[in-house]
Amino acid sequence: MLSHLAIFSQVARSSSRSSRLADRCIASWATVDPANLSAANPAQCYNLVNGEWQLTNTSASIPDPYNGEPFIKYPDTQGNETELFVKSLRTTPKSGLHNPLKNPERYIMYGEISARVSEELRKPEVADFFAQLVQRVSPKSYTQAMGEVKISQKFFENYSGDQVRFTAKSSGISGDHPGQYCNSYRFPFGPVGLVTPFNFPLEIPALQLAGALFMGNKPLLHVDRRVSLVPEQLAQPRSTLFTGSHRIANKLSKDLGGKVFLEDAGFDWKILGPDVEQEEYVAWVCDQDAYSSSGQKCSAQSILFMHTNWANAGFIDKIAERAARRNLDDGTVGPVLTWTTDGMLGHVEWLLKIPGAKVLFGGTPLEGHSIPDCYGAIKPTAVFVPLEEILKDENFDLVTTEVFGPVQVVTEYNDAMLPMVLQALEKLNAHLSAAVVSNDHEFLGKVLGNTVNGTTYAGLMARCTGAPQNHWFGPASDPRAAGIGTPEAIRLVWSCHREIVNDFGPVPQAPEGADYPQS
């Protein structure tokens, strides 16, 4: 595995808060203290290959999101240093390290490993350590970071015992005559690649890496999509799972000849239906969906289609009031790692050139911080754009540009304009998550029947962010679409269908005095 931030590499290499390091039994496992990471006390990351932690000839540094000082060193792996990874992949057969007919005891082994990982992550001090570490490298609130840890723990709990081999289960069907029957197996690809983003540094690598291993593959893990991706220099895996931007996803698809599964970003939408109730709760969810983790979620609420009934009820004021509570001190707003402040505000300025557009709230930089210029820092922002203007060809691409930060577009519609809303959704080319907030079943049926997002929440409590371990999370309407978390997702992404037709006889006798007929 190749990882610039090998957070998931060993759960046992964990610790608790720095003030309690000496008191905890896991202190000897710790190789880093999140509370004390700084330029004066930087962390050193390693590559992991063939079971050994290794450095490269040169190292590079990651700037601290809060002050710009270098606080993590990582191996700056060059093309001529990838031979170990290439060789490791090439020595893995297409049939994988295990499959239903080869080394099946490894399914049991990974069930036991899952049980142990789950047990470790259940410990409060271990969970706290990983939550702090997540906060340190991908700024977000403690609640958001701990949620990532809890989902990972629950995932491994789900795959304890026999659940790994149950995920790889086979099926059978009778044949045409005695002695013939068919078995359907899920076989691994063998050597595979896994590219994961910065915004979920524990959950996404943990769940996808585990899924690849469960099915018998040997994965090459490359963490953090901001680092230049050169998979062609890292051998040719037979399949690659990529989580990240739509642009890089399409580039990888071309570079790898289509041998990819994609969980790419989406311009995710939410529709508030005509029935208005529980405004405070719905406002809280909308604020969470748009601005938690400073909007740095692939499922973040990028556009809100608000029925006139909600507008007349003063709904925007409720969201604005909640967004105004977010601050740097508790991590509910913070550095944006892939857009600069000027870039995000510049995008807002372009939106404001559209007739009828206006800033509903935000639209200004954060104040009183030392976040470096290479990162972004703005207040939670909402820009209103009239629906009829969004649909114009000259505006659509601009309005539907995903800002991986605390920026959303808001628009308004009435009953007669619902076809326009559906037209806008039909024009989108990425279909990850969505929400239809309504208990009106006729309205829900019309919207859900005419849209295709892979993970869509429906009902009064609908949200568009969140990828828990208990349901499928992934895009749709793309044959390359990947999922995460569930047995169905693991089988789709990390295995392929193999049919073995057994035909043992008895052999039918040719007609007396005749040969077997030709066709």
Side-chain angles (χ1 to χ4, degrees), residues 194-513:
L194 171 56
V195 183
T196 62
F198 75 91
N199 57 331
F200 286 90
L202 176 67
E203 179 184 341
I204 293 178
L207 271 60
Q208 291 290 17
L209 178 62
L213 292 168
F214 291 167
M215 300 308 290
N217 300 288
K218 185 166 191 176
L220 177 71
L221 171 63
H222 185 81
V223 176
D224 195 341
R225 69 183 176 91
R226 294 172 300 162
V227 181
S228 298
L229 302 177
V230 285
E232 68 278 5
Q233 296 184 45
L234 301 177
Q236 289 292 330
R238 299 187 62 242
S239 181
T240 297
L241 181 281
F242 173 76
T243 303
S245 75
H246 189 65
R247 179 178 64 85
I248 298 297
N250 284 329
K251 182 181 186 305
L252 276 180
S253 185
K254 293 178 181 178
D255 291 346
L256 298 177
K259 294 181 180 180
V260 293
F261 285 99
L262 305 178
E263 189 190 326
D264 54 342
F267 189 81
D268 304 302
W269 49 267
K270 178 182 288 181
I271 297 175
L272 302 182
D275 45 326
V276 179
E277 53 182 312
Q278 299 294 334
E279 296 100 312
E280 293 295 339
Y281 176 83
V282 175
W284 174 74
V285 175
C286 284
D287 170 69
Q288 291 287 101
D289 281 348
Y291 303 124
S292 63
S293 298
S294 297
Q296 296 174 99
K297 294 184 178 182
C298 57
S299 57
Q301 178 178 304
S302 299
I303 187 168
L304 177 65
F305 295 90
M306 177 178 55
H307 193 280
T308 299
N309 293 347
W310 288 88
N312 292 340
F315 187 68
I316 291 299
D317 291 339
K318 296 182 184 298
I319 302 178
E321 190 275 329
R322 290 187 175 276
R325 301 178 192 175
R326 296 183 172 272
N327 61 81
L328 283 164
D329 291 339
D330 60 10
T332 51
V333 70
V336 174
L337 303 190
T338 54
W339 282 66
T340 63
T341 299
D342 288 345
M344 287 186 286
L345 295 182
H347 179 76
V348 170
E349 288 301 317
W350 278 106
L351 290 174
L352 294 177
K353 296 179 185 296
I354 298 174
K358 59 183 178 181
V359 172
L360 296 174
F361 55 83
T364 58
L366 288 175
E367 300 169 347
H369 62 80
S370 55
I371 296 171
D373 291 341
C374 61
Y375 298 135
I378 70 170
K379 295 179 181 178
T381 298
V383 179
F384 177 86
V385 180
L387 181 55
E388 58 270 21
E389 292 293 334
I390 292 175
L391 288 171
K392 293 181 179 179
D393 291 340
E394 61 267 30
N395 297 331
F396 191 80
D397 287 346
L398 172 64
V399 173
T400 58
T401 295
E402 182 186 19
V403 178
F404 215 59
V407 177
Q408 67 169 321
V409 171
V410 178
T411 194
E412 187 178 332
Y413 74 101
N414 56 33
D415 292 342
M417 297 169 70
L418 181 59
M420 297 172 65
V421 174
L422 297 177
Q423 181 185 352
L425 302 182
E426 180 70 18
K427 292 179 68 174
L428 293 172
N429 60 9
H431 307 287
L432 181 55
S433 68
V436 189
V437 182
S438 175
N439 281 348
D440 183 329
H441 288 268
E442 183 177 350
F443 178 83
L444 286 170
K446 188 165 188 177
V447 174
L448 295 176
N450 287 279
T451 54
V452 295
N453 286 46
T455 302
T456 305
Y457 295 88
L460 183 65
M461 297 178 66
R463 67 188 194 275
C464 57
T465 61
Q469 76 294 330
N470 64 301
H471 69 66
W472 167 283
F473 183 84
S477 197
D478 188 331
R480 305 166 299 173
I484 189 171
T486 63
E488 293 77 15
I490 291 174
R491 284 194 288 267
L492 171 72
V493 175
W494 297 116
S495 70
C496 59
H497 185 104
R498 185 186 185 190
E499 193 83 0
I500 295 180
V501 181
N502 300 280
D503 211 340
F504 299 114
V507 177
Q509 299 298 310
E512 187 174 348

